[in-house]
Amino acid sequence: MAAGHNHDHHAHGRDHQDHDHDHGHAHAHSHGHGHSHVPKVIKHERPLWIAFGLTLAVLVAEIVGGVMSNSLALLSDAAHMLTDVAALGISLFAVRLSRRPADARRSYGYARMEAIGALINGSMLFLVGGYILWEALQRFRAPVQVASTAMLIVACFGLIANMLSMRLLAAGAGESLNMKGAYLEVWSDMLGSLGVIGGALLIHFTGWAWVDPVVAVLVGLWVLPRTWVLLLQAVHVLMQGVPAGIDVDAVRKAMQAVPGVVAIHDLHVWALASNEPILTAHVVLGESGSDPDAVRAAVAGVLHDGFEIAHATLQMEAHHCAVDGVHA
């Protein structure tokens, strides 16, 4: 490995291509990197398939039950279930794509599908939530009779299935935006099922038909803010924003504190996937004959131990490479 570059990957099970770097000095480098990144979400594929099957079964039951009982709350839960089925399908599709290795056109592979899947899921939830709120408004104006018993039975079935799916997806929700999006979908439907159960009981014992659209509105108002947060997180990843929990100024100071380092410039930190931070930087060495390889290893150690950044590409320079705003 040439002195000007560092690719430290710790126990990620990733295959890396070897690269030849032509250089005449410590500050002259050619850049050609091929990486295959496999996100952690892959190990959660089996739970995703099980949750997909359960959600599909509940979707069918709620559509049939909602039509038979004339319950908007149940149909709103079915609408969320529909987005769940699509969301889980998108998540599974993203998992399969993320397995594909890097190629000549996509040097980082397909790891970004995680954020794209979360973006699609969140967008679908917003559209469905808006429709349910509009339909609820119409029902406030013209209440309809609801068959509370059928509504209650189907909602109980949905609750059980949602709780099982949540348990299956919980482990992956903290590791991947894609899994978090799927988990949020199922979580919202679990709350929807609870709301429908409560509404069915109230309608059964009081005859208040207006409870049905109220439950639908409450579920929508609970889900939409959380969906907005998910959308913001997905967009942040796609815009190559700094990962949560990483302070760029602190990273720069820690790197500059390494013996032999004079300055750090062109420092960039972003996330390929939700929990896979990547750093690139130019490191200006002192003129005291510092060993570029030793300094590079020390900087990489600081990044890994202090900030959990395992993927760093470092260009070591004897002099600042900027000439009239051009960086090489």
Side-chain angles (χ1 to χ4, degrees):
M1 181 68 70
H5 295 279
N6 170 50
H7 299 279
D8 289 292
H9 303 275
H10 301 269
H12 283 285
R14 291 177 285 203
D15 299 323
H16 302 280
Q17 301 173 358
D18 295 326
H19 308 285
D20 294 323
H21 301 280
D22 298 323
H23 57 90
H25 303 282
H27 61 280
H29 309 274
S30 62
H31 297 270
H33 305 285
H35 305 283
S36 175
H37 298 272
V38 181
K40 297 177 182 179
V41 68
I42 286 178
K43 68 182 180 181
H44 302 296
E45 182 176 358
R46 185 170 179 271
L48 270 175
W49 275 112
I50 298 173
F52 180 82
L54 287 171
T55 305
L56 183 60
V58 174
L59 169 63
V60 173
E62 289 196 339
I63 290 176
V64 174
V67 172
M68 292 179 62
S69 66
N70 203 27
S71 169
L72 178 62
L74 197 55
L75 287 175
S76 73
D77 206 36
H80 287 147
M81 279 292 179
L82 177 60
T83 62
D84 277 357
V85 170
L88 292 170
I90 291 169
S91 296
L92 286 166
F93 179 70
V95 168
R96 290 302 179 96
L97 268 186
S98 65
R99 285 180 171 178
R100 299 179 63 178
D103 54 37
R105 296 185 62 190
R106 298 170 182 84
S107 61
Y108 277 111
Y110 293 79
R112 278 282 166 87
M113 282 303 302
E114 176 202 37
I116 294 174
L119 185 63
I120 295 173
N121 293 344
S123 299
M124 290 175 61
L125 259 181
F126 253 105
L127 291 175
V128 171
Y131 170 76
I132 294 299
L133 292 177
W134 170 258
E135 185 65 24
L137 179 60
Q138 306 310 309
R139 291 224 174 176
F140 280 126
R141 293 175 176 174
V144 298
Q145 292 301 313
V146 176
S148 58
T149 302
M151 178 180 171
L152 178 62
I153 293 173
V154 177
C156 287
F157 173 61
L159 176 63
I160 294 171
N162 284 324
M163 292 179 69
L164 288 174
S165 296
M166 283 179 59
R167 184 176 180 84
L168 289 168
L169 299 176
E175 297 184 6
S176 158
L177 274 181
N178 192 32
M179 293 292 290
K180 183 177 180 180
Y183 180 82
L184 178 58
E185 294 267 9
V186 176
W187 172 263
S188 69
D189 273 324
M190 188 274 291
L191 289 180
S193 295
L194 286 174
V196 173
I197 290 171
L201 292 173
L202 273 176
I203 294 171
H204 180 75
F205 289 109
T206 66
W208 296 339
W210 55 264
V211 170
D212 182 60
V214 166
V215 170
V217 169
L218 290 177
V219 172
L221 292 179
W222 189 92
V223 172
L224 289 179
R226 287 154 182 78
T227 302
W228 179 248
V229 172
L230 174 66
L231 283 172
L232 290 180
Q233 291 176 333
V235 170
H236 187 72
V237 171
L238 293 174
M239 291 294 292
Q240 295 185 314
V242 177
I246 294 181
D247 183 337
V248 174
D249 289 335
V251 171
R252 185 189 302 275
K253 290 178 181 178
M255 293 173 69
Q256 290 181 161
V258 173
V261 175
V262 172
I264 300 292
H265 67 100
D266 284 306
L267 173 62
H268 302 282
V269 187
W270 72 97
L272 185 61
S274 56
N275 284 326
E276 193 172 1
I278 294 178
L279 177 146
T280 61
H282 291 205
V283 181
V284 182
L285 302 173
E287 299 181 358
S288 58
S290 299
D291 179 7
D293 271 334
V295 175
R296 173 190 55 75
V299 172
V302 166
L303 293 173
H304 181 267
D305 297 338
F307 303 95
E308 297 184 354
I309 299 175
H311 185 134
T313 301
L314 306 171
Q315 176 167 309
M316 315 305 289
E317 302 173 347
H319 306 285
H320 199 297
C321 71
V323 178
D324 296 328
V326 178
H327 301 272

